[in-house]
Amino acid sequence: MEYTWDFKVILDSFPLLLRGLVVTIELWILAFAIGLSLGFAVSLARVSSRGWLNAPAIGYVEIFRNTPVLVQLIWFYYAFPIVLGAQLSPFTAAALSLTLNTSAYCAEIFRGGIVSIARGQWEGAKAIGMTRAMTMRRVILPQVLKRMLPAFTNRGIELAKVTSLASLLAVNELMYQGRLLSSTYYRPLEILTVVALVYFVLIYPGSYLSARLERRLAARD
Amino acid sequence: MQYQWDFAAVWSHFDLLIVGLIGTVELALVSIVLGVIVGFVVALMRLSHRRALRTPATAFVEFYRNTPPIVHFFWFFYALPILIGLSFEPFTAAVLALSTQSGAFYAEVFRGGIVSIERGQWEGAKALGMNYRAVLRRVILPQALRRMVAPFVDRSFELTKTTALASSLAYAELLYQAMQVNSITYRPMEVYTTIAIMYFIVLFAASNLMRLVEYRLARVG
Amino acid sequence: MSDTVIRIRNLHKRFGDLHVVKGVDLEVKRGERIAIIGASGSGKSTILRCLNFMEMPSDGTIELDGKLLGTEGRANDGGAARTYSESELCEVRTRVGMVFQQFNLFPHMTVLENVMEGLITVKRTPKGAARSRATEQLAKVGLQDKLHAYPGKLSGGQQQRVAIARALAMDPEVLLFDEPTSSLDPELVGEVLRVIHALAEEGRTMLLVTHELGFAYHFADRVVFIADGIVYETGTADDVLKHPTKERTQAFLARFTERAF
C-alpha cells in the first residue's frame, strides 16, 4: 500500500473546484429562498379547513417526501419537459426540483409550528378584530419562528448536501467539477477527498450553529 | 399540450423494473443491517470515557453528517480502491457508502436513546453490583430501545431513498433499471413516473407499517 | 340608533352531532348588564361566543344596532346558517369585545404592546395616539407600573386585567366576559371583579358568563339562566337568583343557598 499522494493535482484543480462551489452556492440560495416562501404558502393550504386546499397540499408534501430526491431531479429533467413542451437546462431542472423538494419539507416545518400555537392565541387576536392574515403575521409567526429555526437550519444543511446530485444532470457545480477533474487527471483519491473536505467546510458551520441553537432553545424551555 | 400517454411500452419491460426494485430492497436491507452494527459500535465509542475512542468516533459522525452522500458513493467506488489496491463491485461500494453514512446517523440514534435514560438507572444497577456491560444490556438498552424506534425508522427511510444514488455507479437498482428501460422505449415521462409511484408505494407503505409497529410498541410499554 | 344593541333570534349551535344551543332568543339593551348563569355544559359560553363569532352560529340571526349580520346561505348539513365575510366579522369584533377565561394574551409582546396591538393593526391608530390610549386603559385597571412587563411575568389576576384593558382599548359598544375568573386562584378573583364592577358603573353594555353568583347578583340588571341550550328562566337579579319560579333554576341555585347575595 505504497500510495504516493499527488498534492500538485489538488492545487491545479482548485480554481475549477471553486468555480463549481460558486454554482453550488447559487443553487442553494435559489432553492432555499424560493423553497421557504413556497413552503409557507403550502403550509397555509395544509392547515386550511377547506378540503380542496388541504388535500392537494397533503398530496404535494407526501409525494416529495416519499420519493428519492434523485428521482425527482431526473423526472424534472427528462420527463417534465415532455408535458411542458420545452427543454429545461440542467441548472433550471435541478433548481426547480430542489426548490419544490425543499418547499415540501419547509411546509411541514411551518405547519408543525403553526399548529403548536394554542387556539387561544387565534381567539385572542380574533376578539380584537384582527384578520387571519394579520394574526398570522403579528401573533403566530413571531412566536414560532424562533422555535422553528433549528429545523430550518437542518433543512438548509440537507439542501446543501443534495445540491451535489445536480452533478448527475451535468450541472457544473462542485461535485461535477470534482468528477470531471478526477477523470481528467486520473487522480480520484486526491480530488474526491478534497471535494469531500470542501463540502465539509461549507456545511459544518451550519450544523454547528444548528446544534448550538437547539441547545440554547432547549435550555430556555 | 396533447401528450399521448403510452404506458404499454413501460408495461412490456416491467420485469426489468421489478429486478430493479428487488435490487433496491436488497441494497437497503444489507445497508441497514451493517449500518446498525457500525452505528452501535460508534455510539459506544462516543459514550466512552477514553478520549482515544471518543474523538475518532465524533469525527466519523461529523464527517458523514456534513458531506453529501453522492461524494461517499464515488469515493468508495473510485478513490478507495486506489488506496488499498482492490477494486469493488458497484454493490459493494454502494453498501460501504450507505452503511457507513447511515452508521453515523444510527450512532446518534443509539447515543440519544442511551443518554436519555436517567442517571438513576445506571446508579441503581451499579449499586446491585452489575458491571458496565450488564447495566447496558439488562437495564439501559431495554428502556432506550423503545425510544430509538421512531428515529431509527426515520433514518432507515432516508437510507432507502438514498439507495437511488447507487444508479450512478451502475448498480441495477430501480432508478438505474428505469434508465435502461427509458433508453429502450424512450418514454421518459411514463418510465420515471412509474418508478416514482413505485418508490412512493414502497416507502409510504413501509413507513406506515413501521409507524404501526411503533404504536404497538408504545402501547406495550 | 335604537335602544336595542343586540338582538338574537333562534340561535342554534351544533358541533357535529352535538346540539349545544337549541334556539335562543335574547335582546340586549344599551347600557344593560346581563349575567348568564347555568351548569357546566349548559351551552352558556357557546351562546356568548356566538355573539362575536368565536363560534359560527349553525342557525339563527344576530342583529347589531338594528343591522342584520351576514348574508343568507346554506350550511353543509342543510341548515339555514348565514355566511359572513371576514371583513364583516372583524368589524363586528371591534364593536363587540371579549375577555376570555384563559386571558389569551400574546406572550411575545409586552403588556403595553398587547393593548396597542388592536389599535395599530385593526384601527390603524397612529402609534403615539395608540400608546397614550393603551396607557390610559392600563391605568384604569391599575397596571400603569407594568407597561413594559411581559405577560408571563404577571399573576393571573394581572394578566386578566391586561386582557380587559386590551378589550377596552378598542372602545367596544358591548363587552363579553367568558368566565373571567374561573382560571384564577381564589385570592386573585377579587381584583378582577372590582375592575369589572367599575366598568359596570360607567354604564357599559356588558354580558358576563360566570359561576360567581354573588357577584352576578350585584353586577347584573338582568340574569339569564341557561339549561340544556335554551333560555330557561330570565328576569331581574332578584327574580332569578332570590325567587326563582322554575324547578331547574331552583335546583341549580340550591347548591349556592349558603352564599349570601
Side-chain angles (χ1 to χ4, degrees), chain A residues 3-199:
Chain A
Y3 186 73
T4 26
W5 292 73
D6 182 352
F7 290 104
K8 191 172 170 303
V9 161
I10 297 168
L11 282 179
D12 289 347
S13 51
F14 221 74
L16 265 181
L17 287 181
L18 281 186
R19 214 182 294 167
L21 182 63
V22 171
V23 178
T24 292
I25 292 171
E26 278 172 5
L27 204 52
W28 184 84
I29 291 175
L30 199 65
F32 204 34
I34 305 176
L36 271 172
S37 350
L38 185 60
F40 181 61
V42 173
S43 77
L44 290 183
R46 186 76 180 70
V47 298
S48 163
S49 50
R50 297 195 188 94
W52 58 269
L53 267 173
N54 188 273
I58 294 177
Y60 179 87
V61 169
E62 292 301 332
I63 286 170
F64 281 102
R65 297 207 312 170
N66 287 283
T67 51
V69 60
L70 179 55
V71 173
Q72 294 161 23
L73 263 102
I74 302 259
W75 193 91
F76 276 100
Y77 187 53
Y78 292 104
F80 187 56
I82 292 175
V83 278
L84 195 67
Q87 193 56 46
L88 296 179
S89 76
F91 185 88
T92 312
L96 179 64
S97 50
L98 293 179
T99 301
L100 299 183
N101 178 277
T102 300
S103 75
Y105 282 96
C106 288
E108 278 305 281
I109 300 173
F110 277 119
R111 186 186 70 93
I114 291 169
V115 301
S116 76
I117 294 294
R119 218 183 55 173
Q121 289 293 302
W122 286 97
E123 294 194 342
K126 250 200 237 174
I128 51 174
M130 291 171 80
T131 60
R132 266 183 80 84
M134 270 181 208
T135 309
M136 187 62 93
R137 213 185 60 227
R138 305 272 312 174
V139 178
I140 306 298
L141 285 183
Q143 292 188 57
V144 291
L145 277 181
K146 214 184 286 169
R147 246 187 274 170
M148 297 190 289
L149 221 48
F152 283 127
T153 322
N154 284 336
R155 217 354 79 192
I157 291 165
E158 282 308 309
L159 177 62
K161 292 197 258 176
V162 166
T163 54
S164 62
L165 299 187
S167 64
L168 301 173
L169 305 185
V171 174
N172 55 352
E173 45 67 79
L174 178 56
M175 183 66 201
Y176 180 80
Q177 300 288 16
R179 284 175 58 200
L180 206 64
L181 288 162
S182 72
S183 60
T184 312
Y185 290 108
Y186 204 67
R187 281 282 171 182
L189 182 58
E190 286 85 349
I191 290 170
L192 289 177
T193 305
V194 168
V195 167
L197 290 177
V198 172
Y199 273 113

Side-chain angles (χ1 to χ4, degrees), chain C residues 74-209:
Chain C
R74 183 167 295 163
N76 295 333
D77 56 4
R82 301 174 69 76
T83 54
Y84 304 86
S85 71
E86 188 180 30
S87 59
E88 179 179 25
L89 292 183
C90 289
E91 201 254 341
V92 167
R93 288 171 185 143
T94 62
R95 292 162 60 191
V96 182
M98 178 171 253
V99 174
F100 300 87
Q101 184 179 341
Q102 298 294 341
F103 331 133
N104 296 344
L105 294 177
F106 308 132
H108 60 301
M109 299 179 191
T110 63
V111 163
L112 184 63
E113 285 165 348
N114 261 280
V115 181
M116 286 167 65
E117 182 64 19
L119 292 171
I120 290 175
T121 56
V122 181
K123 290 211 156 168
R124 308 252 166 237
T125 313
K127 248 196 169 148
R131 183 185 301 272
S132 62
R133 171 148 184 87
T135 312
E136 204 177 290
Q137 300 308 316
L138 283 163
K140 205 170 185 175
V141 299
L143 289 172
Q144 58 281 8
D145 55 340
K146 297 281 184 200
L147 300 184
H148 302 295
Y150 281 91
K153 301 275 178 232
L154 302 183
S155 74
Q158 291 171 326
Q159 290 191 51
Q160 192 59 298
R161 280 145 66 198
V162 176
I164 293 173
R166 183 172 73 178
L168 278 178
M170 305 299 285
D171 196 21
E173 293 168 52
V174 181
L175 202 47
L176 311 174
F177 291 90
D178 187 7
E179 306 199 24
T181 57
S182 293
S183 60
L184 297 179
D185 293 335
E187 73 272 18
L188 302 176
V189 169
E191 60 183 84
V192 172
L193 291 184
R194 271 194 295 281
V195 168
I196 298 175
H197 200 83
L199 294 175
E201 314 258 278
E202 283 180 9
R204 278 188 186 274
T205 314
M206 301 199 278
L207 281 85
L208 168 77
V209 167

Side-chain angles (χ1 to χ4, degrees), chain C residues 34-62:
Chain C
I34 299 179
I36 302 176
I37 61 169
S40 317
S42 60
K44 57 188 190 304
S45 275
T46 308
I47 295 169
L48 195 77
R49 288 165 57 83
C50 283
L51 292 187
N52 69 338
F53 301 92
M54 286 294 113
E55 306 291 351
M56 299 311 264
S58 308
D59 202 343
T61 60
I62 298 174

